[in-house]
Amino acid sequence: MWDNKRFHTLNYELKKKFGEKIYKVSLDGGFTCPNRDGTLGNKGCIFCSDKGSGEFAGDRRKSIGDQIDDQLKLIEKKFPKGKVIAYFQNFTNTYASIEKLRKIYTEALSHPRVSGLAIATRPDCIPEEVLDLLEELGKENFIWIELGLQTIHEKTSELINRGYSLEQFIISVENLLEKKIPFVTHLILGLPGESKTDILNSVRFVNKSKSWGIKLHLLHIIKETPLHEYYKTNSFPLMEKENYIELVVEILEILNPEMTVHRITGDGTRDTLIGPLWSLDKRSILNGVDKLLKEKNSYQGKFYTEY
Ligand code: SF4
């Protein structure tokens, strides 16, 4: 087991690596996204908010150092000292000139309480020079990339307007593996038209991809996103809490036990969330997953098969 957990948590992994508890602080590096700035499209992925999928990040008008200090203040009570991972979360955090990227990554890394970086991006936005920069910084620092795959199914990818193909994801992953840059793959559970089998097939693909970690997001609808519009005209069932917990447990059971699980819930804010509203109570989802794993006497990888 992983520190009394029945799945391989990021918390466990970071403690093992750094010998102490490590938090993450979310930053907004002031980026945009090719799926929003007109390069690929203007609307973005249908679930993406105007904050670029980073509802809890720092204030983009502030410097990186000030954002880190602000975020540290928010967790000061439970975490007055100790190291954090600086997470560049909003929009596409490798989509800028190499000079800008070097500047903001090194600014974060030079903060005395930062012990590494997590960088969210798209597979079609990691050109050779960015790979080289990540490789260079990764020699001295712990750095990982986060890729929003969401689904392996082309039909759903079109529906959600992801704007890149599975083939592009595979190529990008090969590049990252060659440079030994760890990456985390995001999947969304409950996308319109996807069956449980479809979702489990996406998970099996991630198993094979040599992904260092996985993030499981519950599909949630945020106000005034294209998904909100779609939902108004094509009402589709949002997941029920019990079904979601059962699905997460089933996913954990087939997941490679080596894979670090970074997240198993959604991330909406109370004032912008249309549904499912039960997703606001993250603690009860996490507890529900722990409880069901225990009841079934199960754990991550119980039914994992390499092929
Ligand atoms: S790639 Fe990310 S930032 Fe860009 S539109 Fe999609 S979710 Fe939003």
Side-chain angles (χ1 to χ4, degrees):
M1 296 298 131
W2 299 270
D3 254 357
N4 293 327
K5 281 280 190 186
R6 288 170 178 261
F7 59 98
H8 190 156
T9 63
L10 177 63
N11 192 30
Y12 168 86
E13 189 66 18
L14 292 179
K15 231 173 171 179
K16 191 175 79 176
K17 181 161 183 63
F18 293 100
E20 62 184 51
K21 169 101 181 145
I22 304 280
Y23 273 87
K24 264 167 78 180
V25 293
S26 295
L27 308 177
D28 186 333
F31 294 94
T32 179
C33 169
N35 209 11
R36 284 184 163 277
D37 70 1
T39 305
L40 292 170
N42 296 304
K43 293 186 177 157
C45 304
I46 61 170
F47 50 82
C48 182
S49 70
D50 57 5
K51 292 214 160 152
S53 293
E55 317 307 309
F56 300 98
D59 181 343
R60 60 166 41 207
R61 293 165 301 184
K62 294 192 176 180
S63 73
I64 296 302
D66 286 348
Q67 286 189 46
I68 295 170
D69 289 337
D70 287 350
Q71 297 282 306
L72 286 172
K73 266 187 211 130
L74 296 175
I75 54 173
E76 199 173 19
K77 272 205 181 124
K78 59 178 175 184
F79 197 61
K81 52 184 186 187
K83 299 282 191 180
V84 293
I85 298 288
Y87 177 30
F88 287 100
Q89 184 176 18
N90 305 57
F91 298 99
T92 301
N93 294 275
T94 57
Y95 187 54
S97 70
I98 204 74
E99 293 77 23
K100 171 171 173 171
L101 297 180
R102 181 181 288 281
K103 183 175 174 294
I104 69 159
Y105 298 162
T106 47
E107 190 179 342
L109 287 168
S110 64
H111 191 286
R113 288 193 51 193
V114 168
S115 60
L117 300 184
I119 300 168
T121 187
R122 300 167 53 90
D124 52 352
C125 289
I126 321 178
E128 192 67 35
E129 57 178 1
V130 174
L131 285 166
D132 290 343
L133 175 64
L134 296 171
E135 184 184 34
E136 179 197 322
L137 296 175
K139 283 184 182 145
E140 300 286 326
N141 306 281
F142 187 46
I143 292 179
W144 76 79
I145 285 289
E146 306 225 354
L147 298 172
L149 177 64
Q150 326 305 4
T151 176
I152 59 165
H153 304 287
E154 219 50 56
K155 205 172 135 208
T156 323
S157 150
E158 275 169 34
L159 176 77
I160 65 173
N161 196 35
R162 190 181 63 193
Y164 70 81
S165 66
L166 188 62
E167 190 58 33
Q168 278 172 304
F169 178 87
I170 293 168
I171 293 167
S172 185
V173 157
E174 280 168 5
N175 293 338
L176 290 166
L177 289 171
E178 202 185 312
K179 299 277 188 187
K180 299 194 169 38
I181 302 162
F183 64 95
V184 175
T185 307
H186 295 219
L187 293 180
I188 297 180
L189 315 183
L191 286 166
E194 289 210 342
S195 65
K196 186 165 96 175
T197 306
D198 292 332
I199 296 170
L200 294 179
N201 282 337
S202 288
V203 175
R204 289 188 184 98
F205 173 87
V206 178
N207 263 343
K208 285 190 201 144
S209 72
K210 302 205 173 74
S211 196
W212 168 62
I214 190 165
K215 271 190 183 175
L216 303 174
H217 300 266
L218 163 72
L219 179 75
H220 57 280
I221 301 174
I222 297 179
K223 247 181 222 165
E224 289 165 20
T225 56
L227 181 60
H228 187 194
E229 286 309 308
Y230 180 85
Y231 186 64
K232 283 184 204 162
T233 44
N234 304 272
S235 189
F236 58 90
L238 294 177
M239 287 197 81
E240 299 290 341
K241 184 174 165 189
E242 300 316 313
N243 295 345
Y244 184 75
I245 289 171
E246 280 167 21
L247 178 61
V248 168
V249 165
E250 212 167 317
I251 289 171
L252 292 172
E253 287 175 332
I254 64 163
L255 204 60
N256 184 343
E258 295 294 315
M259 198 175 302
T260 310
V261 179
H262 288 232
R263 167 179 284 278
I264 55 172
T265 59
D267 206 9
T269 59
R270 190 169 295 278
D271 52 332
T272 58
L273 183 68
I274 297 295
L277 294 175
W278 55 261
S279 67
L280 289 168
D281 188 358
K282 281 190 207 163
R283 179 49 50 200
S284 92
I285 302 163
L286 299 175
N287 288 345
V289 168
D290 286 341
K291 187 166 169 271
L292 185 56
L293 282 168
K294 196 170 177 201
E295 273 168 20
K296 291 176 79 180
N297 192 22
S298 196
Y299 48 85
Q300 181 176 337
K302 184 171 186 181
F303 302 124
Y304 168 65
T305 48
E306 213 160 314
Y307 298 103

